[in-house]
Amino acid sequence: MKLNFTKMHGAGNDFIVIDAISQQIDFTPEQWQRLADRRFGIGADQILVVEQARLPGCDFRYRIYNNDGGEVEQCGNGARAFVKFVSEKGLSDKRSISVETMAGVIAPRLELDGSITVDMGAPVLAPALVPFTADGLDGVTQGSGTVWPLDLALPGDAGTVLVSVVSMGNPHAVQVVDDVDAQDLETSGPLIEHHPRFPRRVNAGYLQVIDRHHVKLRVYERGAGETLACGTGACAAAVAGILRGLLDSPVRISARGGELSIAWQGEGQPVLMTGPAVTVFEGQIEV
């Protein structure tokens, strides 16, 4: 079959976006993986699929596949691309839409300046719900948050890191570092992602505080490796930094692919993420 697609990115986090309303899509994990392959396919961090909503009151259903072919719960940068896609394709004339995801309902909004704000919902902080197995560990209180020691089985000081565990619809482990650019994500990232204390794996965030409203961030994403930006990772990092008493809302997140703005007013409140979404090109591929 011939598949129509759009290539997009949000702060360098790049996507294949597929309209599954006008096209019949039923792919295997291997087919998703091949589409996302940068040599044999189109190339992307994630594939975003636009479907008819199943839940009452929702405008669309949003599905996300990492470049390893696995389906995941949430992608914040992708949510911004999603709302721009449905607007550009004439699938909706609303500036704000309600979108069904595996992790729940989100509400992205197209702003007048072209940026997009996404209500990502309230963060989940209870370790068991992230999910994170804290049995036998002594958490350390920092500010109003808790950090957990994570043994990575590496020699020296790198062997144990302190992480905040947060779910933004998908699990994150956020550590604070002195210099984010000096971190060896290719070594520590997979060890954190596959750590046995995270039964559904985890996204590993590396947060450097510049000042109380500005941070630098790198994220080793579950099932994708390091990406140039991670929307849910930016949300989780801002939440972790605010809870630890290091940051104040709003927080400017500088990722390698661009900048995001995160606002959060505290526990029980939704995280609001604002940033760009860019259409790169459109095409058709035979699958």
Side-chain angles (χ1 to χ4, degrees), residues 232-253:
T232 56
C235 294
V239 167
I242 291 169
L243 285 174
R244 291 168 74 160
L246 303 173
L247 302 173
D248 297 311
S249 179
V251 181
R252 179 161 61 101
I253 307 283

Side-chain angles (χ1 to χ4, degrees), residues 16-200:
I16 301 163
V17 189
I18 297 171
D19 175 0
I21 296 173
S22 61
Q23 303 176 99
Q24 179 110 18
I25 306 296
D26 185 18
F27 290 164
T28 65
E30 291 75 23
Q31 287 174 302
W32 291 124
Q33 187 177 34
R34 191 170 182 86
L35 281 176
D37 190 285
R38 297 188 185 278
R39 291 180 175 85
F40 298 102
I42 302 163
D45 293 323
Q46 283 90 19
I47 301 168
L48 315 179
V49 182
V50 182
E51 295 184 351
Q52 296 278 10
R54 301 179 306 175
L55 295 177
C58 285
D59 297 295
F60 299 97
R61 184 185 183 203
Y62 168 35
R63 300 181 75 179
I64 308 122
Y65 296 88
N66 277 340
N67 60 21
D68 66 354
E71 187 173 5
V72 293
E73 306 94 335
Q74 189 57 278
C75 175
N77 286 329
R80 299 198 313 278
F82 188 101
V83 71
K84 183 164 187 176
F85 178 87
V86 299
S87 175
E88 289 184 341
K89 291 296 183 182
L91 298 174
S92 175
D93 59 3
K94 297 179 179 179
R95 300 199 71 85
S96 181
I97 59 175
S98 180
V99 182
E100 170 191 352
T101 76
M102 189 188 295
V105 176
I106 59 171
R109 183 177 70 248
L110 182 61
E111 305 290 2
L112 293 175
D113 65 359
S115 66
I116 295 152
T117 298
V118 185
D119 180 338
M120 297 293 292
V124 174
L125 304 172
L129 299 180
V130 170
F132 172 71
T133 304
D135 298 350
L137 289 182
D138 292 323
V140 179
T141 300
Q142 288 190 1
S144 59
T146 301
V147 293
W148 301 92
L150 201 64
D151 183 7
L152 302 185
L154 289 173
D157 293 339
T160 300
V161 295
L162 292 174
V163 297
S164 300
V165 296
V166 180
S167 174
M168 289 303 312
N170 56 357
H172 291 267
V174 182
Q175 59 178 296
V176 176
V177 299
D178 293 330
D179 182 357
V180 73
D181 295 314
Q183 302 304 304
D184 182 4
L185 269 66
E186 291 303 313
T187 298
S188 63
L191 296 176
I192 297 172
E193 177 191 355
H194 296 280
H195 198 283
R197 288 193 176 274
F198 294 97
R200 289 163 56 191

